[in-house]
Amino acid sequence: MKNKFQDNLFKLWVIISGLTILIVTIGIFSYLLYKGFKVISTEFIFSSPKGVPLGTEGGIFPAIVGSLLSGLLSGLLGGILGLCTAVYLVFYCENLTIKIYILQALQCLAGIPSVVIGLFGYSLLIVGFGINKSLLSASITLTIMIIPFISIRIKKALEETSKDQYICSLSLGISKSYTIVRLVIPNAFKYIMTSLGIGIAFSMGATAPVMFTGAVISSGIPSKLTDPFMSLPYHLYILVNEGLSVDMAYGTAFVLIVIVLLINLICHLVGNYEDM
Amino acid sequence: MREVVLKIEDLCVDYGKKSILKNINVTFEKNKITAIIGPSGCGKSTFLKSLNKTVEEYGGKISGSISLNNNSIMNMPLEKLRNSIGMVFQTPVVFPFSIYKNMTFAPIYYGEKNKEKLNSIVVENLKKACLYEEVKSDLNMQASKLSGGQQQRLVIARCLTVNPEIILLDEPCSALDIKNTSHIEKMLLELKNDYTIIIVTHNLAQAKRIADYVMYMEEGTMVEMGNPDEIFNNPVDSRTKEYILYMKN
Ligand SMILES: Nc1ncnc2c1ncn2[C@@H]1O[C@H](COP(=O)(O)OP(=O)(O)O)[C@@H](O)[C@H]1O
Ligand SMILES: [Mg+2]
């Protein structure tokens, strides 16, 4: 009798936890969408910030473009580096000690607060190498932040999907590198794309790493890598922090969320596109 | 005339500190089917995998000597070795491509670009593996959509695309029904005209049906080898006798 009661209590607790997560998520989303949607207009999306102080009127177009560019650039850099790291760990690293050190390093990197990564990027790239506060330096800093997430996910995907096929291909006398490029990577392509999507979304939402290294309060659309840029989360931060306009901030948040969701969706679709 | 293709002397395989195969000495004859039998865990798969050194990909260490047509394989380039000794695994591992692309994957790697040549490699080897008639209308279908028996034949056909001399098969029928099994047995009997076949099987009846020689293994050693009649009816070693009796019941 008592056991039965405990059983039910536990079940109730688990169900409540699950429901809470669901409700909180839906709540946040619908509130944001509701508050943000009111502000959305073609002007908001396609024009630059206007008004005095700047940002109280007009739109966020440069910030949209800036965030997209920095997100895609860091996704590209992080994707290449993360994929290579994962391939090395899974297929080339034969020394267990080295493997453990690399994995530990990735774990540590993942645990560094993003504001500290921003500080590091600032000291190294801006102060040290003398690069402008720019798209390039911000993207490199973001790349450092997302690498552990991308490489650990891809590593897992490579381990799960391909060992048998990998060995089967080697048993046909085919070289390791050809097998990895033509078989293993296409095979894990779906997971690689979703990892990349998560990485890009993560980098587009980050404020701290870009505010020291490239994001500015106001700029046009960057025309080269060494131009500074506007970023959605940083713009949002300024709007709220300076008390410029909470409505505009919700609009910005709305756009940011929609873009992040779209990027995840696109990566998912590309990953599922089978042309093999 | 007996012609030895593969000669194995003092073969040992270790996984780390664990010794799996111990001093195996055996020879395999050209254009014959040799069946390897023995209790599970005795090292049959490990033995097969050591013949084309795939065991090293799993972290195994090989010592002793293996020679193919009187050339030691120990220092032979892996590509050449694995072109000569093809391998088919227990569960069919098809690549996540179409049937056609599964078949051309290795030839393209080896530099074949001519479309007609590739087509003929595909058709010819699918025919050898008795699969062509079933799939000829739909070579662009995803290979993973084939049935288990078809996948196994596809994998065998794919292994033939590199023109091996020897084909190693690790319990190729263990997951197949009677019909698919007999299909594969028929195919192996035809293939032995052109290839030397070494097959691991847990099915003694199958060994009886197709093998020219049977090799019995136990605890990482080769206990004895002979023609099926000797091994099944008059084994020399008591361990073989016991195993066969046990398997009969
Ligand atoms: N990758 C591996 N690492 C360590 N031990 C292994 C590995 N693969 C197989 N073994 C061990 O080698 C022994 C023989 O295995 P196997 O050759 O697969 O036997 P069989 O095919 O005869 O059933 C088993 O004891 C197994 O646990
Ligand atoms: Mg086995």
Side-chain angles (χ1 to χ4, degrees):
Chain A
M1 200 54 209
K2 183 155 175 268
N3 267 340
K4 183 94 180 156
F5 176 71
Q6 278 182 348
D7 215 32
N8 282 334
L9 202 65
F10 182 71
K11 201 165 156 190
L12 188 70
W13 167 247
V14 181
I15 291 176
I16 289 178
S17 307
L19 280 180
T20 312
I21 299 285
L22 198 64
I23 289 167
V24 168
T25 312
I26 293 176
I28 291 178
F29 266 81
S30 40
Y31 186 71
L32 269 181
L33 298 187
Y34 166 72
K35 293 283 272 189
F37 199 67
K38 290 193 299 194
V39 189
I40 302 296
S41 63
T42 41
E43 202 213 335
F44 183 72
I45 291 176
F46 290 110
S47 68
S48 299
K50 297 191 183 82
V52 185
L54 200 66
T56 46
E57 287 167 37
I60 54 168
F61 190 59
I64 295 180
V65 176
S67 273
L68 277 174
L69 288 176
S70 65
L72 294 179
L73 195 57
S74 61
L76 184 72
L77 292 174
I80 293 171
L81 282 169
L83 180 61
C84 294
T85 310
V87 165
Y88 173 72
L89 284 174
V90 177
F91 298 108
Y92 284 93
C93 183
E94 278 168 9
N95 186 325
L96 197 64
T97 320
I98 295 179
K99 195 168 176 169
I100 290 171
Y101 277 127
I102 294 179
L103 284 170
Q104 283 297 335
L106 286 173
Q107 295 287 357
C108 285
L109 200 53
I112 298 178
S114 61
V115 67
V116 177
I117 292 186
L119 180 64
F120 172 77
Y122 175 77
S123 319
L124 182 75
L125 301 169
I126 314 277
V127 179
F129 290 162
I131 306 175
N132 291 354
K133 259 185 107 175
S134 64
L135 197 55
L136 180 67
S137 43
S139 302
I140 293 175
T141 311
L142 287 170
T143 304
I144 298 173
M145 182 182 76
I146 63 177
I147 273 192
F149 296 90
I150 296 189
S151 51
I152 286 175
R153 271 165 205 277
I154 296 183
K155 169 176 170 285
K156 233 173 151 181
L158 294 181
E159 281 170 343
E160 277 167 16
T161 52
S162 331
K163 183 81 178 176
D164 286 346
Q165 296 185 346
Y166 169 74
I167 289 196
C168 207
S169 172
L170 294 190
S171 81
L172 289 164
I174 294 172
S175 72
K176 215 163 159 172
S177 56
Y178 189 89
T179 301
I180 290 169
V181 173
R182 293 301 168 89
L183 182 68
V184 173
I185 291 178
N187 200 10
F189 187 61
K190 186 172 160 183
Y191 299 95
I192 293 173
M193 285 314 289
T194 41
S195 315
L196 205 57
I198 290 168
I200 293 174
F202 185 32
S203 85
M204 283 183 66
T207 319
V210 296
M211 67 184 183
F212 307 137
T213 54
V216 291
I217 294 181
S218 165
S219 82
I221 290 168
S223 59
K224 50 187 188 307
L225 284 177
T226 47
D227 282 347
F229 66 105
M230 283 184 73
S231 122
L232 287 169
Y234 184 58
H235 186 62
L236 193 156
Y237 167 76
I238 296 292
L239 287 176
V240 177
N241 200 41
E242 312 280 311
L244 301 181
S245 164
V246 174
D247 280 345
M248 294 300 236
Y250 274 114
T252 309
F254 177 89
V255 171
L256 179 59
I257 286 193
V258 170
I259 292 180
V260 163
L261 288 179
L262 276 179
I263 289 206
N264 272 318
L265 182 70
I266 291 171
C267 286
H268 191 76
L269 291 177
V270 172
N272 277 315
Y273 178 74
E274 275 177 15
D275 181 35
M276 301 188 291
Chain B
M1 193 187 73
R2 308 186 69 206
E3 190 182 342
V4 171
V5 261
L6 199 58
K7 183 167 182 184
I8 288 130
E9 289 166 299
D10 292 325
L11 174 72
C12 298
V13 172
D14 304 329
Y15 278 121
K17 291 207 179 84
K18 215 162 78 180
S19 159
I20 307 292
L21 299 183
K22 298 154 200 138
N23 290 308
I24 293 189
N25 289 284
V26 63
T27 55
F28 293 96
E29 259 182 64
K30 200 175 168 72
N31 296 106
K32 300 283 182 213
I33 298 181
T34 305
I36 302 178
I37 59 171
S40 82
C42 72
K44 303 181 297 293
S45 300
T46 307
F47 178 69
L48 275 199
K49 283 180 201 149
S50 60
L51 299 183
N52 69 353
K53 290 203 193 168
T54 36
V55 75
E56 290 180 347
E57 312 296 342
Y58 295 91
K61 291 270 169 303
I62 306 177
S63 63
S65 103
I66 301 177
S67 37
L68 173 69
N69 299 320
N70 293 323
N71 298 314
S72 168
I73 68 154
M74 301 320 259
N75 297 313
M76 193 183 273
L78 278 184
E79 189 169 295
K80 184 158 175 257
L81 168 65
R82 291 172 181 169
N83 265 304
S84 312
I85 307 184
M87 173 142 196
V88 171
F89 295 82
Q90 183 164 1
T91 38
V93 182
V94 298
F95 297 150
F97 309 130
S98 67
I99 297 173
Y100 188 88
K101 208 173 156 191
N102 262 274
M103 293 296 292
T104 55
F105 192 74
I108 287 176
Y109 169 74
Y110 290 112
E112 187 56 73
K113 292 198 185 74
N114 186 320
K115 195 94 181 113
E116 319 249 291
K117 266 268 186 56
L118 285 172
N119 284 340
S120 79
I121 290 175
V122 172
V123 173
E124 201 177 293
N125 290 301
L126 283 173
K127 275 184 179 158
K128 280 189 190 168
C130 305
L131 184 60
Y132 184 65
E133 292 304 319
E134 288 161 60
V135 298
K136 65 181 174 190
S137 60
D138 207 0
L139 291 176
N140 288 319
M141 187 172 85
Q142 277 289 317
S144 55
K145 292 194 181 132
L146 294 170
S147 75
Q150 289 173 323
Q151 288 192 17
Q152 194 59 283
R153 278 176 280 148
L154 174 64
V155 169
I156 293 171
R158 187 180 65 197
C159 156
L160 300 180
T161 59
V162 298
N163 296 318
E165 273 187 75
I166 302 177
I167 308 171
L168 313 172
L169 301 116
D170 193 353
E171 306 198 21
C173 302
S174 63
L176 304 183
D177 60 19
I178 299 178
K179 195 166 147 252
N180 277 300
T181 300
S182 80
H183 219 130
I184 290 199
E185 288 177 6
K186 216 180 89 207
M187 173 190 84
L188 292 177
L189 288 171
E190 289 198 3
L191 286 178
K192 84 167 179 176
N193 297 321
D194 300 318
Y195 306 90
T196 302
I197 295 172
I198 304 175
I199 178 174
V200 170
T201 178
H202 62 266
N203 181 340
L204 297 193
Q206 177 171 62
K208 246 182 228 169
R209 284 192 296 268
I210 62 173
D212 300 295
Y213 296 101
V214 176
M215 162 173 164
Y216 177 66
M217 285 180 68
E218 197 174 302
E219 291 179 2
T221 57
M222 197 213 41
V223 175
E224 66 180 303
M225 180 155 165
N227 56 45
D229 187 46
E230 284 165 14
I231 297 290
F232 290 120
N233 301 324
N234 274 315
V236 178
D237 199 290
S238 61
R239 288 171 292 179
T240 319
K241 201 174 275 172
E242 245 170 66
Y243 178 73
I244 288 180
L245 246 148
Y246 173 77
M247 290 299 281
K248 269 183 186 156
N249 303 324

